[in-house]
Amino acid sequence: MWQCVGWCHGVLNTDNMSILALTIDYGPFGFMERTDDDYVCNASDNDGRYSYGNQPKMCRWNCMKLAEALQLLVPLKETKEILEQTWDKSYKTAYYEGMKQKLGLVHEAERNEEEEKEDILLIDSLLEIMKETGADFTITFRSLSTFVKLAHQAGDDEKKRTPKLSSDQKSFLDMLMKSALSSYDEILEPLKPSMPL
């Protein structure tokens, strides 16, 4: 998921997305540095049509254009209904699962609805802080991993575990730890390189 790594395609139109919803033809792509939904990596995209924040909408729009092209085979009313019922839910599920894994919120037991909402609130809160402060998208997540490593190395020693933090940082980390943050080993496992089957 490009959104989870701050990657911007640049020209995410219908001819740059396969029928399998895979992106192709990586023209003026770029990784977002400063967290900004309006980030545009394509110098010719003056209106922000393909901005980072618009990428999910453009993928949905591309799927709708495919449905329109196939309407002689499948009635548009049916495909439109299916798209409306499944796109947003499928996208949000995949996006938040990716972000939870990125933050180490990997849970062995299935989460109830309230716990899922807490995870989503945590993710959304972090991203909002990153936008407000202009934090570097990649470096922020990389920096968070050092807190987990410090906590793991310090074990139960509270003094070693708590680096000097501002009250906002402490509040966020407390919220992160309260959200059933996975162990250091559990976080490392899904991050190991693997080949798709």
Side-chain angles (χ1 to χ4, degrees), residues 2-3 6-13 15-16 23-32 39-55 58:
W2 300 134
Q3 296 300 104
W7 191 81
C8 211
H9 183 282
V11 188
L12 198 51
N13 53 17
D15 66 325
N16 289 334
T23 57
I24 52 178
D25 188 17
Y26 306 109
F29 67 87
F31 280 92
M32 175 174 58
Y39 170 72
V40 174
C41 61
N42 179 353
S44 67
D45 184 6
N46 298 325
D47 299 325
R49 178 179 173 88
Y50 304 112
S51 68
Y52 170 79
N54 280 343
Q55 288 185 131
M58 291 313 304

